Amino acid sequence: MRKIIDIQKQLLPDLTEVLNKRYTILHHILLSGVVGRRTLASSLNMTERVLRAEVNFLKAQGLLEIETIGMRISDSGKELIEQLRPIMKELLGLTDLEEQIKVRYGLKQVVIVPGDSDFSDYSKKELGRAGAAMLLKYAAKEDIIAVAGGSTTSEIANQLSASTHLKGNLFVPARGGLGEMLELQANTIASNMAKRTGAGYRLLHVPDHLSEDAYQSLIQEPNIKEIIDVIRKSRMVVHGIGEAMVMADRRKVDHTTRQILESEGALAEAFGYYFNHRGEVVHQIPTIGLRIEDIVGTEVVIGVAGGSSKAEAILAVLKFGHEDVLVIDEGAATRMVEVM
């Protein structure tokens, strides 16, 4: 396939451009569910006149369905998109980037989706779709799957659907998180994933950020202790990756802690730990749930993050050395390769 694509780029460069444009339109409609032409034109930075011509062509090919409330992808369109995914990755050079990062950090698999989540909500949705696909791929029967909080893992939950594959599995929060917005809490995401897939779930009703005294008191509670034991038996962990100072602000850490993070060169935050550029843990939030030693012993760790602004944070977590599967976007991947 690589040779054919190289020949096409040389002899038919216009065809590659048209293919990319039409694939992008179909893909955006797929992720949106139903979308109006004006909204789609704005999202794609395309004039309505140009989009109208493309939509009419795609509809004539049976790839789109037009309703009063907007456009939706047809079954034929969905099938075509799945067939085109590997071709588009080759055209965009993403396959080479995936292999480069995979080999460099000894990962089982790297998945790169088009776009940059810093600028595109559609790229965020595609990250969620790809993250959901990796979760389904690596989940085994009757697994315990720990899920961290955050907007990326929340989008993964939104992209999951009923699956007989996961019916005997158990979703659990990777740690407490009552301080977050409700929809971004690990508890909410774990229960959402379970309900969408037909799996079971357990919840951990404790704050994300605890004082040392509160931490020591809570871990002695029998009910808390029991759910923590379940969480620590997780075979799979799914988590996002945040920029250290952005996460510090979001968690409203005190001034002293912020100074420590800055002086230690904290770049990334994942599952309650802060990492420097060497992948070393420089700070830990006193939180109940998975510990760093649990992450090290977990069979499958899936990290999902996007946006060129997160490139150095993602690299810091990769240098920690315990990721197995990485799902990122083109913006993050391109920047990562530049600074690796």
Side-chain angles (χ1 to χ4, degrees):
M1 184 172 72
R2 176 69 66 86
K3 281 187 177 180
I4 294 172
I5 288 173
D6 288 342
I7 291 169
Q8 180 183 298
K9 283 180 177 178
Q10 286 182 296
L11 296 179
L12 299 164
D14 292 347
L15 181 61
T16 300
E17 184 180 331
V18 172
L19 177 61
N20 190 21
K21 178 168 63 175
R22 289 176 178 168
Y23 174 82
T24 301
I25 292 169
L26 286 172
H27 191 255
H28 275 56
I29 296 171
L30 174 67
L31 292 175
S32 300
V34 178
V35 63
R37 193 164 57 207
R38 182 172 296 176
T39 300
L40 184 60
S42 176
S43 298
L44 294 172
N45 197 25
M46 189 181 294
T47 66
E48 284 193 62
R49 183 181 63 79
V50 171
L51 180 61
R52 185 185 303 112
E54 296 297 341
V55 164
N56 288 340
F57 172 83
L58 295 170
K59 181 177 180 293
Q61 299 301 311
L63 303 173
L64 289 182
E65 296 172 356
I66 311 294
E67 303 174 1
T68 54
I69 56 173
M71 300 171 285
R72 73 167 71 244
I73 204 89
S74 68
D75 290 339
S76 297
K78 291 175 185 176
E79 187 177 335
L80 181 64
I81 285 176
E82 288 306 314
Q83 292 171 346
L84 276 173
R85 281 190 201 280
I87 297 171
M88 295 311 300
K89 289 186 106 166
E90 287 282 0
L91 280 172
L92 296 170
L94 302 184
T95 306
D96 288 337
L97 277 178
E98 288 175 346
E99 188 63 20
Q100 195 173 341
I101 295 168
K102 175 187 169 183
V103 171
R104 177 68 178 268
Y105 293 99
L107 301 165
K108 288 181 181 176
Q109 185 169 356
V110 175
V111 177
I112 301 174
V113 304
D116 188 330
S117 297
D118 283 347
F119 308 103
S120 169
D121 288 337
Y122 289 98
S123 293
K124 290 180 184 177
K125 288 184 179 180
E126 180 64 359
L127 272 177
R129 185 208 60 79
M134 290 302 99
L135 190 160
L136 290 171
K137 177 179 178 178
Y138 287 96
K141 204 170 183 181
E142 297 183 354
D143 263 356
I144 299 174
I145 304 171
V147 185
S151 58
T152 304
T153 47
S154 178
E155 191 56 55
I156 292 172
N158 292 338
Q159 298 295 329
L160 287 169
S161 57
S163 169
T164 53
H165 179 51
L166 295 179
K167 282 198 185 300
N169 290 19
L170 186 70
F171 285 95
V172 295
R175 56 182 185 174
L178 297 183
E180 294 272 17
M181 293 185 343
L182 182 63
E183 63 271 23
L184 301 184
Q185 289 176 18
N187 274 337
T188 303
I189 295 167
S191 64
N192 192 13
M193 286 183 171
K195 289 169 185 175
R196 284 177 174 271
T197 59
Y201 65 94
R202 297 286 303 277
L203 302 180
L204 178 62
H205 294 293
V206 296
D208 182 48
H209 201 166
L210 298 167
S211 67
E212 186 61 32
D213 288 344
Y215 174 82
Q216 293 299 335
S217 174
L218 277 171
I219 59 173
Q220 302 306 318
E221 291 290 330
N223 291 339
I224 299 294
K225 204 168 184 180
E226 189 266 335
I227 182 61
I228 290 173
D229 288 341
V230 173
I231 291 170
R232 288 178 179 164
K233 290 175 184 172
S234 299
R235 179 183 160 273
M236 178 187 290
V237 176
V238 181
H239 70 92
I241 298 169
E243 296 171 82
M245 292 308 161
V246 172
M247 296 304 295
D249 288 341
R250 203 167 98 183
R251 292 206 168 92
K252 298 181 174 58
V253 302
D254 59 75
H255 180 66
T256 302
T257 301
R258 187 179 177 85
Q259 284 186 318
I260 292 170
L261 292 172
E262 289 175 345
S263 65
E264 294 289 340
L267 284 178
E269 188 276 341
F271 32 81
Y273 292 82
Y274 288 85
F275 303 86
N276 65 15
H277 73 282
R278 291 185 293 272
E280 299 164 340
V281 176
V282 295
H283 185 71
Q284 172 191 358
I285 294 171
T287 186
I288 292 177
L290 285 178
R291 302 162 300 186
I292 202 80
E293 54 265 38
D294 300 318
I295 301 293
V296 171
T298 301
E299 191 172 331
V300 181
V301 180
I302 301 176
V304 186
S308 49
S309 62
K310 283 190 179 179
E312 292 185 76
I314 296 167
L315 287 172
V317 173
L318 288 181
K319 288 174 185 175
F320 171 60
H322 294 285
E323 297 295 305
D324 297 296
V325 180
L326 181 68
V327 181
I328 54 177
D329 63 22
E330 184 181 0
T334 303
R335 179 63 183 147
M336 284 166 65
V337 169
E338 287 173 357
V339 300
M340 276 192 326

